[in-house]
Amino acid sequence: MIEKTRLALEKYVPKQAAPIIARWIHQAPCLFKISKSRTSKFGDYRSPYKDKGHRISVNHNLNPYAFLVTTVHEFAHLKTWNEHRTKAKPHGIEWKQNFKLLMKPFFEMEVFPDDVRQAVLSYLANPAASSCSDLTLYRILKQYDHPKNGHVRVEELALGSAFALPNGRIFKKGKKIEPVFDAKN
């Protein structure tokens, strides 16, 4: 059973990471679901409730490094819940310690390319609720996505270029507006 899980995971995470994640899934135990793409989140953790055990879901369309970081993030929630139940904050100090601890074997195995490794190490100094909140980590992880035809980041556009969002709104790229700080505040 664990071998079947490992083989399935190899499609989503770097190959050398799959045995560790498979072991975590079976030791927890938890329902680990590879879910459809969600725009609002990369992954999700649900603690045991009534007759349901731990549940983790991770979006299927993440690149292997983003999938691994997201999976470790969610397993840190599971570990923190097992140790503290509801007494620890979802992204509090206990979760941060567990996230760092669970990331350690992947650094020792040198799973990440250098740029991702450096970005994750920087993020680990004070991990946030979402890897997307760390713009450097987010951008570096996005570099490993399969390119989407016709998609360009706004920062790559020339000044004056028009662009449309999926909801149909159209914008024109101008100079970046710098924040103005009021000395009274």
Side-chain angles (χ1 to χ4, degrees):
M1 186 70 160
I2 196 166
E3 183 65 14
K4 185 176 176 184
T5 303
R6 180 191 63 78
L7 288 171
L9 286 167
E10 285 182 2
K11 298 175 192 168
Y12 299 96
V13 298
K15 190 173 183 172
Q16 63 269 44
I20 294 172
I21 303 299
R23 189 172 64 246
W24 291 353
I25 291 168
H26 289 276
Q27 285 175 345
C30 77
L31 173 63
F32 188 87
K33 180 180 176 185
I34 298 170
S35 71
K36 64 181 187 218
S37 176
R38 297 167 286 193
T39 56
S40 60
K41 58 186 168 183
F42 292 160
D44 187 53
Y45 166 73
R46 300 287 173 183
S47 59
Y49 180 73
K50 294 188 178 179
D51 63 334
K52 294 182 180 179
H54 296 283
R55 291 160 289 156
I56 291 175
S57 63
V58 179
N59 293 3
H60 79 280
N61 62 332
L62 300 177
N63 70 58
Y65 307 116
F67 195 99
L68 179 57
V69 170
T70 302
T71 299
V72 175
H73 176 115
E74 303 310 337
F75 268 99
H77 283 300
L78 186 151
K79 182 171 175 47
T80 303
W81 192 91
N82 279 343
E83 294 171 351
H84 305 281
R85 299 292 192 259
T86 58
K87 293 180 178 138
K89 292 182 180 179
H91 295 101
I93 193 164
E94 300 87 355
W95 174 83
K96 289 177 184 195
Q97 289 170 341
N98 282 328
F99 185 63
K100 290 174 187 178
L101 180 71
L102 293 175
M103 268 298 194
K104 192 174 179 182
F106 304 110
F107 285 106
E108 291 169 351
M109 295 171 21
E110 299 181 2
V111 168
F112 299 110
D114 285 341
D115 58 344
V116 174
R117 182 180 164 280
Q118 288 303 319
V120 173
L121 280 171
S122 177
Y123 173 72
L124 285 174
N126 188 22
S130 167
S131 58
C132 296
S133 61
D134 184 308
L135 195 53
T136 301
L137 176 59
Y138 178 75
R139 284 183 174 158
I140 286 174
L141 288 172
K142 289 300 268 177
Q143 290 177 3
Y144 291 88
D145 287 354
H146 294 293
K148 296 177 183 174
N149 290 336
H151 287 135
V152 178
R153 293 192 312 259
V154 172
E155 60 202 33
E156 297 170 349
L157 295 174
L159 284 177
S161 297
F163 61 95
L165 298 180
N167 66 7
R169 293 182 65 191
I170 298 173
F171 296 88
K172 184 176 182 180
K173 182 176 177 179
K175 290 184 180 177
K176 183 178 178 182
I177 299 173
E178 298 297 328
V180 178
F181 295 98
D182 185 357
K184 296 175 189 173
N185 291 339

